Amino acid sequence: MVNRSSGVHCINPDCQRPYPQPWGNKFCNSCGAVLKLLDRYVPLQTLGAGGFAQIYTVLDEKTQTEKVLKVLIEDSPKALELFTQEAEVLVRLRHPGVPKVEADGHFQVNLTNPKPHQLPCLVMEKINGPTLEEILNKYPQGCPEDMVVNWLNQAVKILQELHKHQIIHRDIKPSNLMLRTPSPSLITSQGGTGWEQLVLIDFGGAKQVNIGRQRQESSSTRLFSSGYSPPEQVTGGHIGPSADFYALGRTMIELLTGRYPSDLEDPQTGVLRWRNRVNIKPQLADLLDEMVQEDVRSRPANATIIQKRLAKIHQPASGQNSLQQALTQITHQLGLLGQATDQAFSNLGQTLGKILRWILQTIFQIIKACSLTIWAMLLTGLGASAGTVTGYILAYQTNLGDRLSEFLTTQLPGLILNPEAGFGAEIIVFATAGIGTAWGLTASGSFAQRRRFLVAFLMGIISYGFGWLLWQVITSTTSSGEGLVGATAIAIFLLALSMGFRSHHIVYAMIGSFGTAIIVAILVVLGFPANLSQASTPHIWSELPLSITFFSSIGILMSFWLGISYYVIVPGLRFLGWR
């Protein structure tokens, strides 16, 4: 029941004595403004201010329920546009995860004091419950994983409804997500159980877009929340559903870690370093990392994709973990060990604790970098070996090599300078070795690359094929060893250039090619045979171990130098200002 003795609140922002006004008065005793809005809503008390608006609790005498009144106190055209846009969005939406607004909930009140003007108002459903920001205050080390996954599930369903209506929220963060509970008296001391209905509030920054024609839209107003909004929103560029997924991903990471997202950013790359702070399912961590990618194209395209990923996360594990997952788990455990060690030595002083933590974090980063680089070297070496064996089978157990030689000799007579017998088989061996190398590097997923298997497949053929051709050209004028070094350099350069690295592509290509070529040159000087696959047919299989050793070594060396580039050289260039 409403305490009618507490009085009524005047909503005129220029009123000198807005509260309390006697219950039952139709007009304010101080400024003369109407008190009972639409002859239905009675303002009871202020709830605070949000953006350009003042928020009140009002009594709806028609339904005898409390609601929320939002009053626009800023008179700029842009503020009025955003306020009207929020009202139109909420009137149109009907979802339990969005505050309900009736068709007549948006109206204007005429005021005469201090001058005649209109005051835009919006009445919406009152959500009884805490925000996720308030709940996070009860969990300074981060909320439990099952609670966060439940909130993420509900939030994605809300966004799916918004995006279906071509609406982008643009301001998702813990303070704009609430838990609907039956009444304030039922809220527990922890601020809720985590299983109540999640509600997304504050649609003042919502934007109506044509998602299907997003690239033709004009750029967005620069309205953003620091720490949560994606780069394209901060710069006022084109935005789409992935902008909401980015903000939601950062919000969930904050709820899991208890740390503000900006505090988790790597000072050199801007990437969030958070996975060693929590012990959660690697699949969930991978999903959140994809949601907060700076590149729009690397984020999930729609809410359905995220829902399917979450459904798989809830399925029981298959029992067989890949080596990469095992390495990730080891890294997580090392992170937990680092936190425990940090706590144990905290009594030695804040300065000593910070130094120790920095040392441990550095060690953990080195271990992680070495583990992922070794994983890439292993897969790349295996892929190159498998590709070489496959190439030998295709080249020398079938007539593909002879047919390729005949085709190149007749159709492209000027391409091969010294058309010796069996050169078609050599091309097949090089091409399949290139495919295997490219597949292994792409499958490893290391070095933050986009896993583009089709591009890797094609560039494996092109890069190693071109390398073979360069080898023939150089060998025609100089020694076979120099030709092998040159072929290695150009093949690795082209292949690395085509990998889906996030930035600094030319750096990866140059370091990978030159580093690998230098080691090959040293091996040639030390006596490594430089006449691969040039034995006579009866003895060709005796050359297979040598070819496997060569191509797998090239793949391993390439992965090693790409790891050096990713973990040492590129961060150094970023530190020096090359973005």
Side-chain angles (χ1 to χ4, degrees):
M1 296 294 294
V2 178
N3 183 7
R4 296 175 180 265
S5 63
S6 61
V8 179
H9 204 295
C10 177
I11 66 170
N12 183 0
D14 297 308
C15 183
Q16 298 298 317
R17 187 177 175 273
Y19 183 85
Q21 298 293 325
W23 192 279
N25 272 19
K26 291 186 176 181
F27 301 96
C28 175
N29 290 337
S30 177
C31 67
V34 62
L35 293 177
K36 191 174 183 180
L37 312 177
L38 296 187
D39 200 28
R40 174 179 176 179
Y41 302 110
V42 180
L44 302 178
Q45 60 182 351
T46 60
L47 288 178
F52 304 125
Q54 186 75 29
I55 313 296
Y56 301 87
T57 298
V58 298
L59 172 65
D60 184 354
E61 292 193 334
K62 180 179 179 180
T63 61
Q64 288 299 306
T65 58
E66 288 189 357
K67 295 185 177 179
V68 172
L69 170 67
K70 192 171 185 179
V71 179
L72 181 65
I73 58 177
E74 173 69 39
D75 59 358
S76 68
K78 189 60 186 178
L80 179 59
E81 176 188 347
L82 294 175
F83 189 85
T84 303
Q85 182 174 271
E86 177 181 15
E88 293 174 349
V89 166
L90 292 177
V91 167
R92 190 164 69 254
L93 290 175
R94 285 294 180 268
H95 189 276
V98 176
K100 183 179 179 181
V101 174
E102 298 181 7
D104 61 350
H106 180 219
F107 54 90
Q108 292 186 332
V109 174
N110 294 317
L111 299 179
T112 59
N113 189 349
K115 62 180 181 179
H117 66 284
Q118 291 183 320
L119 198 63
C121 299
L122 177 63
V123 176
M124 67 184 72
E125 173 190 12
K126 183 179 181 182
I127 309 300
N128 292 315
T131 66
L132 296 192
E133 183 179 53
E134 294 169 346
I135 292 180
L136 184 58
N137 292 333
K138 305 293 184 179
Y139 295 93
Q141 301 302 320
C143 300
E145 179 183 358
D146 59 342
M147 289 173 60
V148 176
V149 170
N150 176 266
W151 296 335
L152 177 58
N153 259 314
Q154 295 193 56
V156 171
K157 292 178 181 178
I158 297 172
L159 291 181
Q160 187 176 38
E161 182 69 14
L162 263 61
H163 298 166
K164 184 174 70 175
H165 289 82
Q166 314 290 317
I167 296 167
I168 309 300
H169 187 274
R170 295 202 300 174
D171 197 17
I172 297 176
K173 53 189 176 183
S175 60
N176 282 342
L177 290 166
M178 297 185 68
L179 292 178
R180 185 200 307 273
T181 53
S183 67
S185 62
L186 297 180
I187 302 175
T188 68
S189 61
Q190 291 295 329
T193 65
W195 308 107
E196 298 87 353
Q197 169 66 50
L198 191 72
V199 181
L200 181 59
I201 62 173
D202 193 357
F203 283 73
K207 180 178 177 63
Q208 183 83 36
V209 299
N210 187 337
I211 294 177
R213 300 174 56 192
Q214 180 182 327
R215 294 182 178 274
Q216 283 74 42
E217 294 281 329
S218 59
S219 57
S220 306
T221 304
R222 289 190 62 191
L223 188 152
F224 62 91
S225 292
S226 179
Y228 303 97
S229 300
E232 69 270 18
Q233 184 175 337
V234 174
T235 58
H238 304 294
I239 64 167
S242 61
D244 283 345
F245 300 150
Y246 181 99
L248 180 60
R250 284 201 158 212
T251 296
M252 294 299 133
I253 290 174
E254 180 179 7
L255 293 171
L256 286 169
T257 62
R259 297 288 300 273
Y260 180 61
S262 296
D263 295 338
L264 300 171
E265 291 180 354
D266 187 299
Q268 298 180 12
T269 65
V271 176
L272 294 186
R273 303 298 185 190
W274 66 278
R275 295 176 66 140
N276 63 334
R277 297 179 178 274
V278 292
N279 186 16
I280 62 174
K281 294 181 179 178
Q283 299 93 328
L284 175 60
D286 292 341
L287 173 59
L288 294 177
D289 274 343
E290 288 184 26
M291 293 172 66
V292 299
Q293 290 292 325
E294 289 190 6
D295 190 338
V296 176
R297 297 168 296 180
S298 300
R299 302 175 203 154
N302 53 61
T304 302
I305 294 176
I306 301 178
Q307 287 179 321
K308 290 181 179 179
R309 294 278 294 278
L310 287 172
K312 290 182 179 179
I313 291 172
H314 283 298
Q315 292 177 352
S318 63
Q320 292 184 347
N321 296 322
S322 67
L323 177 58
Q324 189 173 15
Q325 291 174 329
L327 293 174
T328 303
Q329 288 291 347
I330 292 173
T331 304
H332 290 167
Q333 295 301 324
L334 289 172
L336 294 176
L337 176 62
Q339 293 181 5
T341 305
D342 190 27
Q343 289 293 328
F345 287 92
S346 60
N347 294 331
L348 296 179
Q350 185 177 8
T351 303
L352 181 60
K354 288 183 177 180
I355 294 175
L356 181 60
R357 182 171 57 186
W358 179 84
I359 293 174
L360 290 174
Q361 288 178 345
T362 302
I363 293 174
F364 300 149
Q365 291 297 327
I366 293 174
I367 293 175
K368 181 179 180 181
C370 292
S371 300
L372 293 178
T373 302
I374 292 173
W375 170 247
M377 293 167 66
L378 177 62
L379 274 191
T380 307
L382 290 175
S385 300
T388 304
V389 173
T390 303
Y392 263 72
I393 294 174
L394 294 176
Y396 300 111
Q397 295 297 111
T398 69
N399 62 352
L400 289 179
D402 294 334
R403 294 175 64 180
L404 181 59
S405 299
E406 180 181 354
F407 173 80
L408 294 177
T409 303
T410 57
Q411 300 298 326
L412 303 170
L415 180 64
I416 309 301
L417 299 179
N418 299 312
E420 300 176 358
F423 74 87
E426 294 178 20
I427 296 176
I428 292 176
V429 172
F430 267 76
T432 55
I435 294 173
T437 303
W439 177 89
L441 181 59
T442 305
S444 72
S446 301
F447 318 132
Q449 60 172 307
R450 304 180 187 91
R451 302 175 73 181
R452 306 182 300 186
F453 284 97
L454 179 59
V455 175
F457 179 89
L458 295 175
M459 287 306 300
I461 298 174
I462 295 173
S463 59
Y464 272 54
F466 193 79
W468 178 89
L469 180 62
L470 181 65
W471 182 27
Q472 303 307 307
V473 173
I474 297 177
T475 303
S476 66
T477 59
T478 182
S479 68
S480 181
E482 294 179 5
L484 190 60
V485 173
T488 300
I490 192 63
I492 298 302
F493 183 85
L494 293 176
L495 184 57
L497 200 62
S498 68
M499 290 290 105
F501 300 119
R502 303 294 177 178
S503 63
H504 299 80
H505 302 82
I506 193 70
V507 175
Y508 286 107
M510 292 181 63
I511 299 299
S513 62
F514 290 155
T516 305
I518 289 174
I519 295 180
V520 171
I522 294 174
L523 293 176
V524 170
V525 172
L526 294 177
F528 185 87
N531 58 340
L532 296 174
S533 301
Q534 292 181 350
S536 60
T537 301
H539 304 287
I540 196 65
W541 288 100
S542 64
E543 299 295 319
L544 178 58
L546 176 63
S547 297
I548 292 176
T549 301
F550 173 74
F551 287 115
S552 61
S553 299
I554 292 300
I556 291 172
L557 290 172
M558 175 187 181
S559 298
F560 172 78
W561 287 112
L562 291 179
I564 294 294
S565 301
Y566 181 73
Y567 292 109
V568 179
I569 296 177
V570 170
L573 294 175
R574 289 183 180 275
F575 179 77
L576 295 175
W578 185 12
R579 299 296 178 186

